[in-house]
Amino acid sequence: MRRIKIRKHSVRNDSSNEIESPNHSLPNEQNAELCTILAVNEKRLRETFQACSDIVFRPICSNPEVLLIYTDGLIDTKTLDKVVLTPFLFNGAPRGLNGDSISGQIIQEQLVAISQVQTVSTFNDVSDGILKANIVLLVEGENKALVADLKGFEKRAVEEPEAEVSIRGPRDGFTETLRINTSLIRRRIRSSKLKMDSVTVGQVSQTEIVLVYIDGIVSNTILEEVRKRIDRIQIDGVLESGFIEEFIEDAPWSPFPQIQNTERPDIVCASLLEGKVAIIVDNTPFALIVPMTFWTGLQAVEDYYERSIYTTFVRLVRYSLLNIALLLPSLYVALSTYHQQLIPTNLLVSIANSREGVPFPTFVETLLMEFMFEGLREAGIRMPKAVGSAVSIVGALVIGQAAVQAGIVSAPVVIVVATTGIASFAIPRYNFGAAYRLLRFPMLILAGMLGLYGIISGLLLMIIHLLGLRSFGVPYMSPVAPQIPQNLKDVFIRAPRWSMNQRPSFFSGANKRRIPEGQKPSPKRGRAGK
């Protein structure tokens, strides 16, 4: 057995360890080619990673000499010791055989247990490989380096998403690890037509982004538009998918979201089967889905796992609660202030008695209670989970009861604001519900100024805005405006699965047929087939 000397494990980039080479000048360009002298390559890389204490340079004195470079904390050290260091300790670096290069021999004899190994020839590729949780092997006499995948950083386990809880359906959710997220999608759609294009965004962060779509189902026009918008992003770092969302949306000043975000792989797969495009961003569990329509924001995941009759009823209830969340406070202010004749007499007398002694107009006390309710909701979100719900519930009860007893606000206003808050919780998408929470205040101001005329004016402006809004070229109100009758089976109602045989026309490409016709269940047909 051949004895090999191992130099001391070095983590620091000390300039004293750098080897001067008077006959070879160091490359100044980041994309310069590697040279055959290991000392020159090491000096250049040490200068690149100066003051980076987590970058480990481990020289191995063998014949020929080998330099191992990796990022501490991002590497599976057990596999590194077993697959790379142990073979070098006992056998040394393999010599060239039959004219083959040393790099080729290392791949063949010692790195065969590593799934992904590639050869690079520039300093830029070496630096990227180190920063992307790979190990890099540089060999004396070789102008190429080996980049081997040995990722071993800490990652969160697959868990159920807390923001999108479902009664029935899968319990797994995305994590902050990109390849785990793509694997969750691949497990559900096991087809070679499922494509995943990778792109890097962020000049400093170098964040990897994956565009996911199904070839033949996706619209090529929408796919190319998504690629163009992502390619033109110029930013120093991308820390979450929200960074990407703000760069690619159609109307940045609209309160309505034009890009859907989700933590659930089943929602992403269902959207891909409709012809949409998913954007998976590394280091975040939230995936983006484009394009998005108004009706997508009102659809919950249980709508497609329960029977259509029950789902249709719940969906109609949800639409009613949506109108209550937007209009109930403004209607109360408009009717009690300007249009008392529209209120039944007994109810009007009860409201008048409850408002006796209240120092503020109806508009002011409603606005104050709405603001206080939003403050309690925000405080409940920011507080720890153990006390967040208790603070929001107890705070609402205590403040509401104390305000009524003190005569600051009337009891009907507390009832109206509480009912509005409960109705807003019925909106499945958080960002979509936030749009209605925001619009509730302008509607309330219009009602306090103009009564029912102000409410009608606000609704007209909102409808005009929605009709002109688009998401990656798709009308936001489709398939209602413009109306597509064959796509209305999943808007106000949810038709049975066997009857929804067409994909959405605005999303899908050439393959618009989802389910063949004639699959309605029939007991007579089943007996006849026996």
Side-chain angles (χ1 to χ4, degrees):
M1 182 176 62
R2 188 169 37 167
R3 299 181 62 185
I4 300 174
K5 297 180 180 179
I6 306 293
R7 283 195 285 180
K8 186 178 179 180
H9 182 88
S10 174
V11 177
R12 297 177 304 169
N13 300 322
D14 295 332
S15 59
S16 59
N17 293 334
E18 296 176 355
I19 302 176
E20 297 294 339
S21 179
N23 298 327
H24 296 272
S25 60
L26 294 175
N28 296 322
E29 298 81 5
Q30 189 68 14
N31 59 349
E33 298 285 337
L34 293 169
C35 114
T36 56
I37 299 179
L38 181 61
V40 177
N41 296 334
E42 180 181 358
K43 182 175 182 179
R44 170 59 174 157
L45 291 173
R46 285 184 179 275
E47 290 182 352
T48 301
F49 293 106
Q50 186 177 5
C52 297
S53 61
D54 57 336
I55 304 300
V56 177
F57 289 81
R58 177 145 190 182
I60 302 177
C61 292
S62 61
N63 188 18
E65 191 175 2
V66 178
L67 176 65
L68 173 65
I69 310 174
Y70 59 91
T71 304
D72 191 19
L74 299 182
I75 296 298
D76 185 356
T77 54
K78 293 182 179 180
T79 305
L80 176 66
D81 295 339
K82 179 180 179 181
V83 177
V84 180
L85 294 181
T86 300
F88 272 113
L89 286 172
F90 286 94
N91 303 323
R95 310 297 293 270
L97 298 176
N98 299 325
D100 294 335
S101 66
I102 297 175
S103 299
Q105 288 296 307
I106 294 177
I107 293 177
Q108 181 179 357
E109 297 181 12
Q110 298 189 191
L111 300 184
V112 69
I114 302 178
S115 59
Q116 298 180 8
V117 180
Q118 60 177 340
T119 304
V120 299
S121 59
T122 65
F123 285 96
N124 190 30
D125 293 335
V126 170
S127 300
D128 289 343
I130 296 172
L131 296 174
K132 292 180 179 179
N134 300 309
I135 65 170
V136 173
L137 285 174
L138 294 169
V139 183
E140 179 69 38
E142 291 283 330
N143 60 352
K144 294 183 179 180
L146 296 178
V147 179
D149 185 4
L150 275 183
K151 296 180 177 67
F153 49 82
E154 295 295 329
K155 47 185 175 290
R156 184 168 60 94
V158 176
E159 300 172 349
E160 182 179 3
E162 297 183 359
E164 296 176 271
V165 180
S166 64
I167 304 297
R168 179 178 179 179
R171 303 299 183 186
D172 55 345
F174 289 135
T175 68
E176 288 77 14
T177 307
L178 179 65
R179 285 308 163 197
I180 292 180
N181 297 340
T182 56
S183 66
L184 292 175
I185 299 175
R186 183 68 71 177
R187 282 176 53 191
R188 289 170 167 82
I189 304 179
R190 302 173 182 177
S191 172
S192 59
K193 294 184 178 180
L194 177 63
K195 307 299 181 181
M196 297 185 180
D197 294 344
S198 179
V199 62
T200 301
V201 178
Q203 298 175 358
V204 178
S205 66
Q206 293 291 304
T207 305
E208 186 176 0
I209 298 174
V210 176
L211 301 182
V212 187
Y213 58 93
I214 300 179
D215 191 20
I217 296 180
V218 68
S219 171
N220 293 328
T221 303
I222 295 177
L223 179 60
E224 290 302 320
E225 183 65 24
V226 175
R227 285 174 174 166
K228 289 180 181 179
R229 297 190 185 186
I230 292 181
D231 288 341
R232 70 187 183 200
I233 296 177
Q234 295 183 5
I235 189 173
D236 55 352
V238 176
L239 304 181
E240 213 273 337
S241 57
F243 286 53
I244 303 297
E245 181 178 358
E246 292 193 48
F247 277 99
I248 64 176
E249 59 185 352
D250 289 63
W253 300 111
S254 173
F256 294 95
Q258 300 116 60
I259 299 175
Q260 180 183 351
N261 63 77
T262 181
E263 291 183 82
R264 298 184 62 96
D266 53 338
I267 293 180
V268 171
C269 293
S271 301
L272 295 177
L273 292 172
E274 289 183 346
K276 297 182 181 180
V277 180
I279 304 173
I280 313 295
V281 182
D282 196 9
N283 301 316
T284 176
F286 287 91
L288 305 179
I289 302 174
V290 295
M292 177 184 178
T293 62
F294 177 86
W295 315 105
T296 304
L298 298 174
Q299 295 171 353
V301 62
E302 289 93 350
D303 292 357
Y304 303 95
Y305 297 143
E306 297 289 350
R307 298 177 66 242
S308 61
I309 297 177
Y310 171 74
T311 298
T312 300
F313 169 74
V314 173
R315 186 172 287 185
L316 293 177
V317 172
R318 192 181 301 142
Y319 286 1
S320 301
L321 292 175
L322 177 72
N323 293 325
I324 291 175
L326 177 66
L327 299 176
L328 183 59
S330 54
L331 282 175
Y332 173 76
V333 171
L335 293 178
S336 60
T337 304
Y338 296 99
H339 311 282
Q340 296 91 344
Q341 66 276 11
L342 298 179
I343 304 176
T345 303
N346 294 333
L347 180 59
L348 182 61
V349 172
S350 177
I351 294 175
N353 291 333
S354 63
R355 282 192 46 77
E356 186 176 358
V358 176
F360 303 110
T362 304
F363 166 71
V364 175
E365 62 172 337
T366 305
L367 186 63
L368 289 175
M369 287 302 298
E370 281 288 347
F371 182 80
M372 184 59 63
F373 186 86
E374 291 297 326
L376 287 173
R377 191 207 304 253
E378 189 68 18
I381 294 175
R382 305 304 166 201
M383 293 289 290
K385 296 180 182 178
V387 297
S389 59
V391 167
S392 58
I393 296 174
V394 175
L397 292 175
V398 172
I399 292 177
Q401 184 67 21
V404 172
Q405 291 181 353
I408 299 176
V409 296
S410 59
V413 170
V414 176
I415 296 174
V416 168
V417 172
T419 304
T420 304
I422 294 173
S424 64
F425 287 128
I427 302 176
R429 308 288 176 193
Y430 175 79
N431 56 351
F432 198 80
Y436 275 84
R437 289 165 54 191
L438 177 63
L439 290 173
R440 189 158 61 231
F441 288 94
M443 296 294 293
L444 187 60
I445 295 174
L446 288 174
M449 295 174 58
L450 302 174
L452 289 178
Y453 298 103
I455 297 177
I456 295 174
S457 300
L459 287 176
L460 288 175
L461 291 175
M462 188 178 70
I463 292 174
I464 292 172
H465 172 71
L466 289 173
L467 292 176
L469 196 61
R470 289 179 176 268
S471 175
F472 287 83
V474 176
Y476 198 64
M477 295 298 291
S478 64
V480 175
Q483 190 176 93
I484 306 174
Q486 63 268 24
N487 294 151
L488 293 176
K489 297 179 181 180
D490 191 22
V491 178
F492 301 105
I493 65 172
R494 207 275 280 172
R497 181 76 59 185
W498 43 264
S499 67
M500 295 191 296
N501 49 16
Q502 294 287 337
R503 307 184 198 277
S505 301
F506 281 107
F507 304 155
S508 57
N511 184 4
K512 297 185 180 298
R513 175 70 63 177
R514 174 185 289 169
I515 300 174
E517 296 182 357
Q519 295 199 69
K520 180 180 179 180
S522 174
K524 294 181 179 180
R525 183 176 303 170
R527 288 196 299 268
K530 293 182 178 179

